[in-house]
Amino acid sequence: MTEAERPSRTAPPDRTDPVPVAPDLIAELTARGETVAVAESLTGGLVVATLVGVPGASAVVRGGVVAYATPVKHTVLGVSSALLASNGAVDPEVARQMASGVREALAVDGEPATWGISTTGVAGPDPQDGKPVGTVFVGIAHADGAQAYELHLDGDRDAIRRATVSELLARMSSTIRARE
């Protein structure tokens, strides 16, 4: 497991607000001529809303799929139904498959989005799929493959959802910069 894939505990204070990260991410994607598609579960559209809140986002954001219900992860994003049946929706491979699947689901003229990003996890109030509240997986996919990152976040439902967005956007920014 790489350092980036190690579980993190509660987002650091500078990552609690996703809004400051979003403009830099949009600017970087724009400069590179790359696009992003978003698949969300526990964040329920908060990731794509944060991204499209940035002026100029329409140049790079393909859109988002809120796959809140587990079966939608299979029917719309192509996540393996066997995986969902055996592991549930709160799983690193589910996050990877969601991120890869949304690249294809939001293809334009047959061209997948450059990047796919995803969120799946437990915001509470109750555990899900045997996982405690605050267990989250975020996925980042590119044509070269997909990675999932495990997060263990504290707080109420809203805090967990916001921290998930912050962590995902920060990790996406780092991933893009690492490809230079």
Side-chain angles (χ1 to χ4, degrees):
M1 178 180 295
T2 67
E3 182 63 31
E5 294 173 303
R6 287 195 196 332
S8 64
R9 191 75 167 139
T10 308
D14 63 333
R15 289 190 183 172
T16 58
D17 182 3
V19 177
V21 178
D24 292 340
L25 179 55
I26 295 297
E28 186 68 28
L29 288 168
T30 301
R32 292 169 168 265
E34 296 178 343
T35 58
V36 64
V38 183
E40 301 183 63
S41 187
L42 82 148
T43 49
L46 190 55
V47 174
V48 79
T50 300
L51 291 173
V52 301
V54 177
S58 62
V60 299
V61 177
R62 288 276 177 93
V65 173
V66 177
Y68 202 67
T70 298
V72 175
K73 292 170 180 63
H74 170 68
T75 59
V76 175
L77 299 172
V79 175
S80 163
S81 58
L83 173 67
L84 291 167
S86 65
N87 295 13
V90 184
D91 181 80
E93 184 59 25
V94 170
R96 281 189 284 276
Q97 289 186 22
M98 286 175 67
S100 294
V102 79
R103 289 183 63 240
E104 300 293 335
L106 298 183
V108 173
D109 296 328
E111 182 69 27
T114 312
W115 297 95
I117 57 178
S118 68
T119 67
T120 188
V122 188
D126 300 314
Q128 179 184 338
D129 298 333
K131 307 287 191 320
V133 172
T135 303
V136 175
F137 296 94
V138 296
I140 300 174
H142 188 269
D144 298 337
Q147 295 293 319
Y149 303 93
E150 182 174 359
L151 311 174
H152 295 280
L153 305 171
D154 294 318
D156 64 14
R157 232 178 118 70
D158 189 51
I160 290 168
R161 292 175 68 232
R162 280 191 333 252
T164 298
V165 174
S166 297
E167 280 290 323
L168 174 58
L169 295 183
R171 286 172 189 261
M172 177 66 182
S173 292
S174 295
T175 300
I176 289 173
R177 283 192 307 272
R179 294 183 63 85
E180 294 178 347

